[in-house]
Every structure is written in C-alpha cells, then in structure tokens.
Amino acid sequence: MVGPPGSGKTMLARRLPSILPAFTEVEALEVTKIYSIAGLLRTGGGLATRRPFRSPHHTVSDAGMVGGGRVPRPGEATLSHNGVLFLDELPEFPRQVLEVLRQPMEDGEVTISRVNATLSYPAKFMMVAAMNPCPCGYWGDSSRQCSCAPGDIRRYLKKVSGPLLDRIDINIAVPRLEYGEIAGDAQAESSAVIRDRVERARAVQQRRLARYGLGANAQMGHRHVKATCKLEEAAQKLLEQAFHRLSLSARGYDRVLKVARTIADLAGEELLTPLAVAEAIHLRNNVKDSLMGV
C-alpha cells in the first residue's frame, strides 16, 4: 500500500485479520506449537484461536525477522505463520532484513543453519507492507506539495529491491480521504459480510486443491496453476499481451494467474474471465512502475 501519511494504510492492515477465514484445526495446532516454542503461549490458553498479526519495528535485525541466535528461535516470519506480517514504512527497514524475507515468501519456511544442526521453521504468512511515495510523504498528494528532490525520491523508492517487489502480488495506491468520505453517512460492508464471502471462496479452493494436499490458491506451484487456472480464450489473449508488454517473469506470470483465480472464486466463476485477468494485472502493476523508479 502506497500513500501519504494519514491515509489509513496502517488501519487497513490491522483490519485484515478480521476478514480472514477461521483457523482449521491443523492451522491452529501449527500456530500453537510455534508460540509454545517461542515462549509466547499464554498459560492455560489452549489452542490458538486468532490468526497472528505481527508488526515488527523497522529496527528489527535479520535474525529477529527470520529467526536465529545461539539457540535458534523463531523470528517474526515464523510467528506470522498462518497470519499476517505487516511491515510499516517498508523502505525504512534495512536492505538485508528485507532480502532475507525472499526465501520464506517463496518457500513458506525458514531454514536456519548452525554448526551442529539445521532447523526449518514454517513461515506461510501474508506479507502486507505500507510506505509513503517519497521521503516527505506527499509526492502526488492532492492537498500538499512534495518538498523532495527527484533524486531523493528515486533513492527512497530503490530501497525496495525489484526481486522483493516481484514477490508482491497486489500493489495499491491509498489516497488521502476527503472530508465528505470521513464525515458522510454512507454505509460500507462490514468485516463479517466480507469474511463470509472470503470463507465461501476458501471452501471452493479447499475442494479444488484437496487432491494436491493444499488449502489455498496462494500455496499453488506452477503445476497446480497449469491444472486449475483455465482461461477463457479472450482472457488468454489478454494475458499474453500483458506478459510481453509488462515483461512479466515466470514468477509474475504464475502470481497473476493465482490472483485471477482468487478473483474468479470470489465471483463464483469456474473459468478465468478477461475481467478477472485484467483486475489481477492491474493490481500487480498499479503502482509498481513508480516503485521501480520508472
């Protein structure tokens, strides 16, 4: 999420767990074991019932993020397993800390090697990040003028590497709210209504992916994408055009299809339509050009 200070990025991130599906028994057991190992399980608390939401400060070390120490302990990536890892002010995190997240974002686990042993911790999390569009925060803002020099903006944006951005499926601009939007009486959907729709889509995914031992579209590999993401002819042509025009990597191609598959699941559609593919492409590249310094 990219937007000026006060636009609601952090609030949106903190509300995300309220629309996520309830734990399965397996997920609850996994999270409970992790928090027990880390010494963070409440005494007499029983099984975990809420999906984790972790928001480490940007001063966290790479060991604090992915785990480590003389006696290796789980880091923030593992403590976010089956939940949300929120990185606020993304460019303020040290480059090395962000780069060590690439492996767990891709593999869903963290491997810590020591002289006497190698340990692997699960780390299947939803990574959510927020950042300003420039150092002062007001580049492109409708109400305040940016005071940053072009070179400062480029250096700020380049703190987030291309390989990390390639692993982020959805990029959205979060503009400042206008007075009427804040003070108005318009009623939006409640989290409970949205969560019900998400749970129906997740149930569809679980039935479709049961044969592969998977439970969500995000867990699919390339062969699963090929088997489950069938496109309408017009959608296939649109994706081909986007692949060449946007220079999508093989990873980007699969990730566009996984997002499109989820959009279609939410709409109750079996085949991927041009609308679902177009939305997935837009979400992937909505603000990515500016983040890449183009």
Side-chain angles (χ1 to χ4, degrees):
M1 294 182 287
V2 182
S7 58
K9 303 184 296 294
T10 301
M11 183 199 70
L12 287 171
R14 293 189 178 279
R15 299 299 184 273
L16 187 57
S18 68
I19 67 170
L20 294 180
F23 269 145
T24 64
E25 184 177 352
V26 171
E27 288 174 333
L29 284 170
E30 289 174 347
V31 172
T32 301
K33 287 191 289 186
I34 289 168
Y35 276 71
S36 178
I37 291 171
L40 298 175
L41 194 65
R42 292 179 301 171
T43 304
L47 286 177
T49 57
R50 295 182 179 179
R51 291 189 179 272
F53 180 91
R54 304 290 299 184
S55 181
H57 192 262
H58 59 74
T59 55
V60 66
S61 66
D62 52 351
M65 184 65 80
V66 297
R70 188 173 59 84
V71 178
R73 293 170 57 84
E76 294 292 341
T78 296
L79 294 174
S80 305
H81 181 63
N82 291 330
V84 176
L85 174 64
F86 176 50
L87 305 182
D88 200 6
E89 304 294 346
L90 184 66
E92 301 302 327
F93 284 81
R95 185 69 170 258
Q96 176 61 23
V97 171
L98 295 180
E99 294 306 299
V100 297
L101 280 175
R102 285 162 53 182
Q103 183 225 345
M105 289 176 69
E106 195 72 23
D107 302 333
E109 67 175 14
V110 170
T111 301
I112 303 172
S113 298
R114 292 293 180 267
V115 175
N116 298 324
T118 298
L119 297 177
S120 292
Y121 289 126
K124 294 178 181 177
F125 53 84
M126 181 185 294
M127 197 276 273
V128 180
M131 61 181 286
N132 296 330
C134 66
C136 79
Y138 297 105
W139 180 37
D141 187 50
S142 59
S143 61
R144 294 189 59 173
Q145 186 174 358
C146 174
S147 61
C148 303
D152 294 334
I153 297 175
R154 285 194 294 271
R155 282 189 293 273
Y156 179 77
L157 296 178
K158 287 184 180 297
K159 289 182 179 181
V160 184
S161 71
L164 181 65
L165 283 174
D166 197 41
R167 289 167 169 80
I168 297 177
D169 299 332
I170 297 175
N171 299 274
I172 59 172
V174 184
R176 179 186 305 280
L177 291 174
E178 300 297 335
Y179 175 79
E181 295 174 300
I182 299 174
D185 296 327
Q187 294 297 314
E189 286 184 311
S190 68
S191 293
V193 171
I194 299 173
R195 179 174 177 173
D196 182 62
R197 187 163 64 249
V198 170
E199 289 187 328
R200 289 198 303 271
R202 179 62 66 87
V204 170
Q205 295 169 27
Q206 290 172 339
R207 290 194 295 270
R208 181 194 303 121
L209 299 172
R211 72 183 76 173
Y212 306 113
L214 305 176
N217 292 338
Q219 299 167 5
M220 294 193 295
H222 180 70
R223 70 183 183 93
H224 309 123
V225 170
K226 294 283 285 185
T228 63
C229 297
K230 304 300 183 181
L231 294 93
E232 293 182 0
E233 184 177 352
Q236 182 70 59
K237 292 179 180 178
L238 176 62
L239 183 57
E240 182 180 1
Q241 292 172 355
F243 181 83
H244 295 297
R245 185 174 299 173
L246 301 174
S247 299
L248 290 177
S249 64
R251 179 188 297 111
Y253 173 86
D254 280 351
R255 286 176 174 266
V256 165
L257 282 175
K258 286 192 281 188
V259 173
R261 177 70 272 171
T262 300
I263 292 169
D265 290 341
L266 287 165
E269 297 166 339
E270 183 61 31
L271 294 178
L272 303 191
T273 64
L275 185 61
V277 171
E279 185 175 350
I281 293 169
H282 174 71
L283 288 171
R284 182 169 183 81
N285 291 277
N286 188 23
V287 294
K288 185 164 290 188
D289 283 349
S290 63
L291 293 181
M292 297 286 247
V294 176

